[in-house]
Amino acid sequence: MSSSHAGPEPIAPASPQWRKDRWTLNQLSTAVWLFDIDQGRVVWANAAALDVWNAASLEELQSRDLKSDMSPAVSRRLQQYQADFISHGASFTEMWTLYPRGVPSPLNVRFSGAHLDDGRMAMLCEGRSEASLQPDTIRSADALLHTQMMISLHELDGRTLYSNPAARASFDSQQQDLSARFVHPADYERLMLEIRSQLEVSLIAEVLTASGQRWHELTVRSCHDPVSGRPSVLVSSTDVTELKEAEALAHTRAHHDPLTGLPNRLAMPALFASLVKQADLKGAHLGVLFIDLDQFKAINDTLGHLQGDGVLMEVARRLFELRMQDDAVIRLGGDEFLFVAMESRDEPGRIASLASRILERLAFPVHGERRKLMVTPSVGIARYPEHGRDAELLMQRADLAMYEAKAAGRNQYRLYDETMRNRRDEEMELLAELREALRRGQIEPYYQPRYAPHARRMVAVEALARWNHPERGMISPADFIPLAEKSGLINQLGTSILEQAVRQRCEWQRRGIDVAVSVNVSLRQLCDADFAPMVERILTCYGCEPGRLELEVTETLLIESNPVVHANLQSVRSLGIRIAIDDFGTGYSNLARLNEMAVDCIKIDRSLIQGLPRNDEILRLVIAMCKFMQVTIVAEGVETQAIADWAFRNGCQELQGFYYSRPLPPADTEILLTACNVASDRMLTLESVA
Ligand code: C2E
Ligand code: CA
Ligand code: CA
């Protein structure tokens, strides 16, 4: 099959010339007919054509409405032919199978354009019967005509030798060259290069079609032109635009955070790679800023997830506003964001000033039902290329720096340095050891007594965790409690201390020493729904009277607590266990809330007590408030006789501090307690009794 491009020969059916020609045409063995594409009717046919069409007469053939059972594909193709006749006088030779009265009749037909009287473009058809052809040849030729697959044959220089109807319909009929199809010339060049060394090459490329820019999947095979025998390429393509679009959408969805609309963690590698490329080109630096919101959990817990989501969206918006053209803002997940910023040579210091601006812009109050919460960020920065060239590593280092910013009191930024890595390594090591120590029972409580001046005796002891490390010696809780809290080990640790303290109290009681024990409880423990049942199990196990156990919780905890925390506190309190507010006076005090919470005891923080006599007035005020709430008042950190006297005179019912005793191991505590219980009129220390 081939197509040639001779100009159309206008035929005017009514002219005298035509009448003569008609006689001649009727003598031909070739079937000739003129087809009105628009009307779908045969205008004229010679005798051979009437045979082919199995028509009784010309009038009968003319009366047939060929449009009525024409498939849409054939109809589209005919319109395409019509356009090709008009635009460049094309002619085609194709294998067609006609179905006059339903009987298939394979024909080799040459089509060309012919104008009708009224000027419309019709189609002149010259058909030769191909009855001698093998059925498979006929079928394959027919399939090629009807397939939706676009098939075309090209010379090695891209020149088009043949296009099947689908290819002709898709590509501009003027398009005489394969290269003209491609939106990106590089795709064509690659294809032609690869086909030199391979038999078949496939690719998905953007192409220009009659219906605009589309995605096609092309398969190119090297072959020979069956007419000339010259090497050529056979191209088959299918439209995969919809697939491609679905894929692009899925990609966008997978790489974006639905809440904030920002790119997510998955998008990070590609974004980073493109920023690195630009930075290298410009000789610029990049700042990877790891941003974590302080106390976001408190917002989620107290104000609910809806408010939490609102805060995240607002944070995302504000970060996005600070973005310059070459920056990227990513939501890593939860309350973690990443800001990758370009610092070009002509703006040194941009990264640091951006970090300041982030702190400024992100500090905003969130209004809840009961109170205002402050959202502040902690920011850690790692720089490309100084701190690494790889996105993962830079993120890790920025994370480390962020973590230091948090440890330094939050709402600030830190630039990564090597020592941070060492500190983190040490911490990881310590954490592993802590886990091991817990397993081996190497974390034990020491006890610090609480002295009641009016009764002149030690009425209670506070259990304070101690880690007796085989190599490092005694490790202070200030060094391992925060680590335990962060790693989640605090639940296990807290339970262990509670259990040991309750057991100790019961042992002492059996030996005639009746003392209350007070145990520190952290927020994470109270967030565990199993906390209250666990406490109850321990009390029952040792037969401990609930009123002799006190749990110390911090004030901030009560204010920012979630429903689980409240339920736990209610449950333990309903068991008869006392609740003490620890470190009172260090945070924001919300008296209304404290009153509502119904606590039994308030421990005034040692920083306030040790500020005496400077703090005299404040302390009096604090004590007055505590009295108003009708709670037991404990002064912590009493180190001198003078302070002890002041505290007693001013209404603190119990005093705790080094003046009475440091926290002691159980045996020493027992010696002290026994001595005090016997000689309750004297002030005793361990040194004086030992
Ligand atoms: P805290 O609950 O405020 O405990 C009182 C701390 O003050 C203890 O420090 C104690 O040794 C110290 N202290 C007592 N009297 C004086 C004094 O007169 N002067 C001075 N300068 N300090 C005094 P320690 O034992 O190092 O504990 C530190 C913190 O670790 C505790 O503060 C508490 O918050 C936490 N902690 C200790 N054990 C536990 C525990 O089992 N669970 C939990 N969640 N936290 C614990
Ligand atoms: Ca305490
Ligand atoms: Ca305290």
Side-chain angles (χ1 to χ4, degrees), residues 462 520 552 582-584 603-606 636:
E462 175 176 2
N520 294 286
E552 298 189 9
D582 205 359
D583 307 337
F584 186 75
K603 300 183 80 178
I604 300 169
D605 192 67
R606 73 163 187 267
E636 283 193 311

Side-chain angles (χ1 to χ4, degrees), residues 86-103:
I86 295 170
S87 70
H88 58 287
S91 71
F92 311 99
T93 305
E94 284 173 353
M95 282 291 309
W96 274 67
T97 304
L98 300 183
Y99 295 87
R101 299 186 192 283
V103 184

Side-chain angles (χ1 to χ4, degrees), residues 390-403:
D390 159 74
E392 250 337 285
L393 184 68
L394 284 165
M395 250 160 76
Q396 265 174 29
R397 298 193 158 172
D399 185 18
L400 258 183
M402 182 280 292
Y403 180 80

Side-chain angles (χ1 to χ4, degrees), residues 17 40 42 60 63 156 231 259 301 350 431 436 542 575 613 632 643 689:
Q17 176 64 38
V42 172
E60 188 267 316
S63 72
L156 286 185
L259 179 68
D301 288 349
R350 175 178 177 231
L431 182 61
E436 183 64 15
Y542 295 102
L575 290 174
T632 306
I643 286 180
V689 296

Side-chain angles (χ1 to χ4, degrees), residues 295-469:
Q295 248 123 38
F296 180 71
K297 198 179 172 309
I299 292 179
N300 250 349
D301 288 349
T302 37
L303 306 178
H305 288 271
L306 226 56
Q307 278 255 34
D309 284 355
V311 167
L312 290 175
M313 287 193 278
E314 182 61 18
V315 166
R317 202 180 60 76
R318 293 185 185 197
L319 285 176
F320 200 77
E321 277 173 5
L322 290 172
R323 202 188 65 120
M324 302 280 276
Q325 204 199 340
D326 290 332
D327 300 341
V329 182
I330 295 158
R331 182 178 172 210
L332 290 175
D335 57 345
E336 290 176 354
F337 294 85
L338 204 68
F339 200 124
V340 187
M342 186 84 66
E343 183 180 275
S344 63
R345 274 191 251 198
D346 49 348
E347 45 179 358
R350 175 178 177 231
I351 292 169
S353 65
L354 175 69
S356 307
R357 291 203 59 204
I358 289 175
L359 293 178
E360 233 168 71
R361 286 291 287 134
L362 255 48
F364 62 95
V366 179
H367 299 270
E369 264 173 49
R370 286 168 176 277
R371 64 201 211 99
K372 237 165 51 177
L373 284 167
M374 252 337 247
V375 175
T376 56
S378 292
V379 181
I381 310 171
R383 291 174 62 96
Y384 169 91
E386 299 96 306
H387 299 141
R389 309 191 66 95
D390 159 74
E392 250 337 285
L393 184 68
L394 284 165
M395 250 160 76
Q396 265 174 29
R397 298 193 158 172
D399 185 18
L400 258 183
M402 182 280 292
Y403 180 80
E404 295 265 331
K406 279 228 192 283
R410 306 191 166 116
N411 196 18
Q412 47 195 296
Y413 72 86
R414 282 282 184 281
L415 183 66
Y416 171 81
D417 72 65
E418 281 297 312
T419 62
M420 293 179 180
R421 221 168 87 208
N422 301 339
R423 277 201 291 276
R424 170 57 74 92
D425 289 349
E426 271 167 29
E427 203 182 275
M428 294 318 279
E429 200 179 312
L430 194 67
L431 182 61
E433 287 180 342
L434 179 60
R435 201 165 268 133
E436 183 64 15
L438 260 173
R439 231 171 31 80
R440 296 179 181 216
Q442 286 169 351
I443 316 278
E444 295 167 331
Y446 269 32
Y447 298 92
Q448 187 178 37
R450 265 161 50 177
Y451 180 71
H454 59 277
R456 293 174 168 250
R457 54 187 287 265
M458 305 295 188
V459 285
V461 289
E462 175 176 2
L464 291 157
R466 291 292 179 271
W467 179 0
N468 199 347
H469 193 281

